[in-house]
Amino acid sequence: MRHVRALLLGLSLLALVVSCAGYIFLSELRATPATSGTPVEFVVAPGETANDIATRLGEAGLIRQPALFRALVRWRGLDQQIQAGRYVLSPAMTMSEILIVLQSGRVVNDIQITIPEGLRLEEIASIIAAAGLVSESEFLAVARDGDRFRADYFLLNSLPAGATLEGYLFPDTYRFAPSADAETIVRKLLDRFVEQYSTIERSVRVPGVTVHQIVTMASIIQREAALLSEMPQISAVFWNRLKPQYAPTFGGGLLGADATVQYAIGYDATEGTWWKRNLTVTDLAIQSPYNTRITPGLPPGPIAAPGLAALTAAAQPDETSPYLFFVASCERDGSHKFATTIEEFRVYEAEWLACQQNRP
């Protein structure tokens, strides 16, 4: 009789243990690592095993018990049902919810953005925010911290301390996961800049210049030139103006680029643009190291994001060009007329003014 009671007691204890284990198991299945949290991009590679996926889910903070996740997958016979792809998961999801998503094959669609040449950081930030990636303030907080990236990008060696990444975020078409953060976006644009600049870095024809000076000049060329074919000539004009022999003509090396004045002014609420078109005499005299009408030499840094054509023109100006001036032509194709003397320039300028007055 004692043996029967012992057996019954043992069975009761076993049932209790199983019941407790089942309760714990179900509790863990319903538990989440957090009650809320930032969505996380999670990529399942083709052929990846459930064991590997469980381990990485744990490392990403998406599940609390990788071993339990593995057991759940085996118990439900889902080893071959997890689909390769890119997903957005949350620490607030249960294991069962995560497993359902990973079986769905609902791969996250990338967000595509196009950044045109010649935009300043604030305009790039606006495009990124409008696409639904990160806010303008989040992007600018990272993009204005050039020191943060200096150690990882050798082309930033000549970037002044405390400078932003203005001019270094390459204009192009990009695709980002919806979960991409500001640093991921900035690094991708920087990587593209490095890739493109590497195509010209061994063929720079301007003696003694740094990468920062090339990018700065390229940004001015990008804003001043409408035609790609004219960029090498416009580059030559600006580099010529910085030569010592022309210092008396240009007030000791003034570039005189209106685009730098526009950058110094910043956003103009009246015109609703970062690039004010109708510059006044007061505008041209604005006190700023970026105003190259009153401050000799190159400005402290780029004023916009140059494309490859502008970077190439800055690095390889037309070495045969004697020009020191250029002015818009009467044609409506964005072309310019180039001059070697101030007298010739004034003739072309008068022609342009006459064209403007005669246009309907």
Side-chain angles (χ1 to χ4, degrees):
M1 193 68 178
R2 283 198 298 264
H3 294 299
V4 174
R5 284 200 296 268
L7 178 60
L8 291 174
L9 180 59
L11 290 173
S12 298
L13 290 173
L14 179 61
L16 180 62
V17 169
V18 171
S19 176
C20 290
Y23 176 79
I24 294 171
F25 181 78
L26 290 174
S27 297
E28 281 297 326
L29 288 182
R30 298 190 186 103
T32 62
T35 55
S36 63
T38 303
V40 175
E41 180 184 328
F42 188 82
V43 178
V44 176
E48 192 170 14
T49 68
N51 286 344
D52 292 336
I53 293 169
T55 299
R56 293 198 301 106
L57 285 170
E59 292 171 348
L62 291 167
I63 60 175
R64 302 199 312 179
Q65 300 290 341
L68 193 57
F69 183 87
R70 296 185 191 101
L72 180 63
V73 171
R74 293 194 188 95
W75 178 46
R76 294 184 178 178
L78 300 176
D79 301 68
Q80 305 302 317
Q81 303 303 313
I82 296 177
Q83 304 293 312
R86 186 166 64 249
Y87 303 87
V88 172
L89 305 176
S90 167
M93 296 172 69
T94 66
M95 283 192 206
S96 293
E97 289 171 336
I98 288 175
L99 192 51
I100 290 171
V101 171
L102 296 183
Q103 293 176 75
S104 68
R106 290 180 297 178
V107 181
V108 175
N109 293 321
D110 287 340
I111 295 175
Q112 179 172 301
I113 62 169
T114 297
I115 300 172
E117 293 90 348
L119 300 188
R120 54 188 287 163
L121 285 179
E122 292 86 354
E123 293 174 293
I124 296 175
S126 178
I127 290 173
I128 289 170
L133 288 167
V134 296
S135 69
E136 293 183 36
S137 59
E138 288 175 309
F139 175 80
L140 290 173
V142 176
R144 286 173 173 163
D145 186 5
D147 293 334
R148 180 175 185 168
F149 302 91
R150 189 189 308 276
D152 298 330
Y153 294 89
F154 73 94
L155 287 179
L156 297 181
N157 286 344
S158 58
L159 186 73
T164 73
L165 293 177
E166 187 81 81
Y168 290 88
L169 303 184
F170 197 80
D172 206 339
T173 296
Y174 297 91
R175 298 183 71 87
F176 294 100
S179 59
D181 60 16
E183 180 156 345
T184 297
I185 296 170
V186 168
R187 285 188 180 276
K188 192 162 187 177
L189 271 61
L190 266 176
D191 290 342
R192 185 66 171 146
F193 168 79
V194 171
E195 176 187 302
Q196 292 298 298
Y197 194 89
S198 66
T199 66
I200 65 167
E201 63 180 332
R202 296 184 182 277
S203 55
V204 176
R205 298 175 188 163
V206 184
V209 294
T210 65
V211 172
H212 191 65
Q213 289 170 323
I214 290 292
V215 178
T216 299
M217 180 62 85
S219 71
I220 297 171
I221 296 168
Q222 186 70 67
R223 292 299 313 179
E224 293 280 349
L227 302 179
L228 297 181
S229 60
E230 289 188 349
M231 284 186 173
Q233 285 181 295
I234 290 177
S235 176
V237 167
F238 287 133
W239 285 122
N240 285 343
R241 288 181 182 180
L242 295 181
K243 292 178 179 178
Q245 61 264 41
Y246 298 117
T249 305
F250 294 100
L254 293 174
L255 283 181
D258 285 351
T260 64
V261 179
Q262 293 171 312
Y263 186 80
I265 291 171
Y267 187 78
D268 183 77
T270 302
E271 294 188 9
T273 176
W274 285 96
W275 305 97
K276 185 179 180 182
R277 289 174 287 276
N278 301 310
L279 296 176
T280 65
V281 173
T282 301
D283 291 333
L284 298 177
I286 185 172
Q287 295 297 310
S288 168
Y290 282 91
N291 183 357
T292 59
R293 279 183 169 266
I294 62 174
T295 306
L298 286 167
I303 60 171
L308 182 58
L311 286 167
T312 303
Q316 304 167 17
D318 183 350
E319 295 175 304
T320 66
S321 173
Y323 299 125
L324 296 171
F325 306 91
F326 64 93
V327 65
S329 71
C330 288
E331 303 296 329
R332 296 191 177 187
D333 59 357
S335 62
H336 295 82
K337 286 193 172 182
F338 294 82
T340 55
T341 65
I342 187 66
E343 292 77 19
E344 187 181 13
F345 166 75
R346 285 174 178 160
V347 170
Y348 291 150
E349 186 178 44
E351 290 178 359
W352 180 78
L353 290 172
C355 290
Q356 294 297 104
Q357 292 171 353
N358 295 329
R359 281 177 179 166

